[in-house]
Amino acid sequence: MPRPRSAGVVALAVVLVVALVAVTAVVVLLRRPLPDTSGEVAVPGLGAQVRVLRDARGVPQVYAEDPEDLFFAQGYVHAQDRFFQMDFRRHVTAGRLAELVGDAPGAVEADAVVRTMGWRRVAEAELPLLAPETRAYLEAYADGVNAYTGGRSPSELSAAYTALGTRVDLGPVEEWTPVDSLAWLKAMAWSLRANYSDELARAAAYGAVGDVGLVEQLFPPPSASVGEPVVGAPGTLAPAAATTSEAPAEDDEVLAGVVAALADPADPVAGADRALAAVPDLLGDGSGATGGIGSNAWAVSGEHTASGEPLLANDPHLAASFPSTWSQVGLHCTVVDADCPFDVSGFSFAGMPGVVIGHTADVAWGFTNTGSDVTDLYLERVRDGAALRAGEQVPLTTRTETIRVAGGEDVAIQVRSSGHGPLLSDVVPELAAAGRAAPVPEDAPPAGSDGYAVALSWTALQPGRTMDAVFALDAARDWDDVREAASLFVVPGQNIVYADTSGSIGYQASGVVPLRQPGAGLGQGTGTWPRPGWDPDYDWVGAVPFADMPSVLDPPDGLVVSANQRITDAFDPFLTADPDMGHRAQRIREVLEEQVAAGRPVTADDVEALQTDRVDPFAEVLVPYLLDAPLPQDPGSSPERRAFTREAVELLRGWDGTTTADSAPAAYYNAVWSTLLRLTFADQLPETAQPRGGSRWFTVVGQLLEEPDSPWWDDATTPAVVETRDQVLGRALQQARLELTATLGADPQDWEWGRLHRLALRQDVLGDESVPAPVRALWTAGPVDLGGSTSLVDATSWDAREGYGVTAVPSMRMVVDLADLDASRWVDLAGVSEHPWSGHATDQLGAWAEGRTFAWPSTPGAVEDAARDELVLAPRSTSAG
């Protein structure tokens, strides 16, 4: 018996040694890319010494003598912390994702769509349009990136390359270029592209129900919004684009054909969405007011604050990403003057120089998406390589793009464009199939052998000067400077909420918004429906002049609140027919106004608490109906089952609508809400048009609650029975009770919303479920149980079509105190680093989830006091070694 025992011990010892070697190897591979954050390093390309101070969370504060050295150093530290993220982003924006990750699911499709739109080509055209100093800063940033990456292998830059290298052959890292930074602006614009999905959803819904009036009930006009617009303005809201309950009138026959071409029976819109969804939404899906992303920003005048100076808050709602979307940074000229005007701190994007949101020594600003309608789909009648326009055949432009696939064969695509933009149908087969079968007026010219195609018009496909705007903001001293910077924005259009150390607050809308010709056609003048490309009456005719964009300085009530709601009460200028319905904005304003009316000065603590307000505004509307709804009386619903359901319904009695993570009522309410949306709409709408939940659906369902016999309540799958509101409400209550019993247990008192509503962070490439668990664990974080919900101030969004998991979040939170900038506070979703063993990849996640923030030092003394590490970048010619 001793021999087997001895053999077993030897075998165990061998296993342990192998395991130890493996662990040691993993540790070495993970530690190899960790950057040096202290000491001195000589780098080529610097004009003078640069100091980089990092605090306890690794946030860099950069001090340099001139702007070129400043942005050089920013490029260097971005590459230290986030180079794989930067490289991934540039591969996506160039349509080269398959070149990095191989023939992974969706990679080639994503590349084909991005190449068709030509993001990088537009960025290349933008570079010469920029101011000379902007081009110099972009070059300096690229030089800084390359100074860090030069001479380093991929595995020395990120352990992600090491893991990815087990799947594909990786070549040497390419040098960074200014165009790589500019192309990122296209990804931002794509994620924040406004009502594109709403346009597709309208077409899909019309194809399913054939009734414009019913469809428009799903897209309430801005006049249905709750609360106040961002800017009080004279005028009245335009009525809904269509209120008839019949098919489009004879004048709209052409457009009816367009809509039908993009709708049933094959549901090509769903196919289009699937193909376009292959493009990674690097900030989140912001297409339309129903998207999971948005933002909150507000400013409170000093007349209402404890300090007597303004407070400004911002928390952009973007995709839950890992590494986090933002990278905190301070950029400081050692002497601030005309030659070196930067003393700015805030949130940047890794891969792009400058600070996007934050404050200088004089002003602070936050962003929310305007939601402006900057995209339109055009159905083109194509014949022999030309598109019909005003009775004439206009040749299409064409080019060939080659997609290289790591470990696979190249894929060549032909890109065609009409005068309206690239033909997306060439890379979205479902759209092409729909075009070939498009019903059109009998007297319309034949399409010929090519059939029909779908083109995308989008303001982001025209070169612009948005990068100039970023640097202009970063050097701003006053309101006029901020407005000048805003005038340079093209895409994505942003609401700029402003405050300064002189005591002013303000608001400015930015971005290029197309002008559409007025007319009686369905969607004409508004861009709410797909358009006939052959009819010039539907063409864009310019852009809204910046002088006409809404703006206000020091509003009389001392408050500016922007949360993606309608901007003015007037449709002049027209920005969008699909703003957020205003529930978040209303809640923020109500809380602030109540505090002001009570005579309690607003503090930074108050503002921070408001950012995590979790009151569901629609609960006040829906819960009374739920409490009054009769439970099902069908044969399958026994008295015992009704009593079983009532036990859960009682959770809602007296509930104040607060959706904390430990709330049992919130868990049941949201399960009922999700079930209610499915029971009401899934039977009549194709997948593309089905509800995600959120602001627009609050309004839609709120209106339907007042129409108990609306055809939307009827279940189309039971033609022999006509269901009403109360029947659907009762079924939702019963089915939600059964669902949560199966997932959370039989006792409703034990239910918790956070057990359903969880945030799991994952890296785009290596956090995928297809990656082996030990590797995947290094590039994931969570799950974390969260409170909040879609369209709440604490907007932890979820998609009602897919479950309760968190899809979009407040990607950062900041509160700027203009009385004492060093008393400001900030927090990132995860951390500044992408390196798993850096200590700073997720060191802010816990505080973020709990609604806490960290001190935000920005003046030299405060930065020095907070510093834990100091790295000196020295010109190579003057540094020893």
Side-chain angles (χ1 to χ4, degrees), residues 386-401:
L388 182 66
R389 176 177 167 80
E392 298 183 1
Q393 294 290 331
V394 179
L396 300 172
T397 62
T398 63
R399 69 178 189 272
T400 299
E401 297 273 353

Side-chain angles (χ1 to χ4, degrees), residues 260-631:
L262 294 172
D264 277 351
D267 193 13
V269 175
D273 259 7
R274 284 192 296 272
L276 297 176
V279 180
D281 272 315
L282 298 177
L283 296 179
D285 182 4
S287 51
T290 58
I293 71 176
S295 297
N296 301 326
W298 66 90
V300 182
S301 169
E303 65 184 288
H304 301 316
T305 67
S307 69
E309 298 295 336
L311 291 166
L312 182 142
N314 192 199
D315 56 298
H317 308 153
L318 303 172
S321 61
F322 183 62
S324 43
T325 298
W326 302 100
S327 183
Q328 294 152 293
V329 70
L331 301 171
H332 312 280
C333 295
T334 52
V335 176
V336 180
D337 56 20
D339 293 328
C340 195
F342 300 105
D343 184 14
V344 62
S345 181
F347 294 85
S348 68
F349 290 127
M352 196 177 93
V355 167
V356 177
I357 296 173
H359 69 78
T360 68
D362 304 291
V363 306
W365 70 94
F367 283 164
T368 70
N369 197 25
T370 61
S372 297
D373 186 352
V374 296
T375 59
D376 278 330
L377 290 174
Y378 285 86
L379 188 69
E380 305 283 15
R381 300 174 63 82
V382 178
R383 179 173 58 190
D384 301 327
L388 182 66
R389 176 177 167 80
E392 298 183 1
Q393 294 290 331
V394 179
L396 300 172
T397 62
T398 63
R399 69 178 189 272
T400 299
E401 297 273 353
T402 300
I403 300 170
R404 304 195 184 282
V405 182
E409 296 183 359
D410 293 352
V411 176
I413 64 170
Q414 185 183 56
V415 177
R416 301 188 299 167
S417 298
S418 72
H420 295 113
L423 303 188
L424 286 184
S425 51
D426 285 354
V427 287
V428 181
E430 291 87 352
L431 283 180
R436 287 192 292 271
V440 294
E442 292 182 1
D443 59 349
S449 59
D450 289 2
Y452 295 83
V454 180
L456 172 69
S457 282
W458 179 28
T459 55
L461 300 185
Q462 298 299 318
R465 296 178 57 196
T466 300
M467 199 68 231
D468 282 341
V470 173
F471 291 119
L473 273 177
D474 287 355
R477 305 285 298 274
D478 56 27
W479 172 244
D480 290 339
D481 288 345
V482 170
R483 290 202 75 226
E484 176 64 24
S487 72
L488 301 174
F489 267 91
V490 177
V491 289
Q494 296 294 292
N495 299 301
I496 302 176
V497 176
Y498 168 91
D500 64 34
T501 56
S502 297
S504 288
I505 64 172
Y507 164 83
Q508 176 66 57
S510 72
V512 170
V513 182
L515 284 171
R516 299 171 175 87
Q517 302 175 70
L522 188 63
Q524 197 169 0
T526 64
T528 51
W529 294 79
R531 308 158 81 77
W534 52 88
D535 187 344
D537 287 345
Y538 288 87
D539 286 352
W540 294 354
V541 289
V544 175
F546 178 75
D548 293 343
M549 295 293 280
S551 178
V552 65
L553 181 66
D554 294 324
D557 64 356
L559 298 174
V560 172
V561 177
S562 174
N564 312 114
Q565 81 272 34
R566 70 192 193 277
I567 295 175
T568 73
D569 264 342
F571 258 42
D572 186 19
F574 173 81
L575 301 180
T576 180
D578 296 305
D580 183 274
M581 289 287 102
H583 296 87
R584 283 180 288 116
Q586 181 187 37
R587 175 64 181 173
I588 292 166
R589 182 169 282 278
E590 283 178 350
V591 171
L592 292 173
E593 288 178 344
E594 287 175 5
Q595 182 163 348
V596 169
R600 291 188 296 108
V602 179
T603 67
D605 287 341
D606 296 325
V607 172
E608 182 177 298
L610 181 54
Q611 286 183 317
T612 55
D613 182 275
R614 297 179 176 119
V615 173
D616 189 314
F618 192 57
E620 184 178 4
V621 175
L622 180 58
V623 166
Y625 285 93
L626 296 177
L627 293 174
D628 290 342
L631 298 180

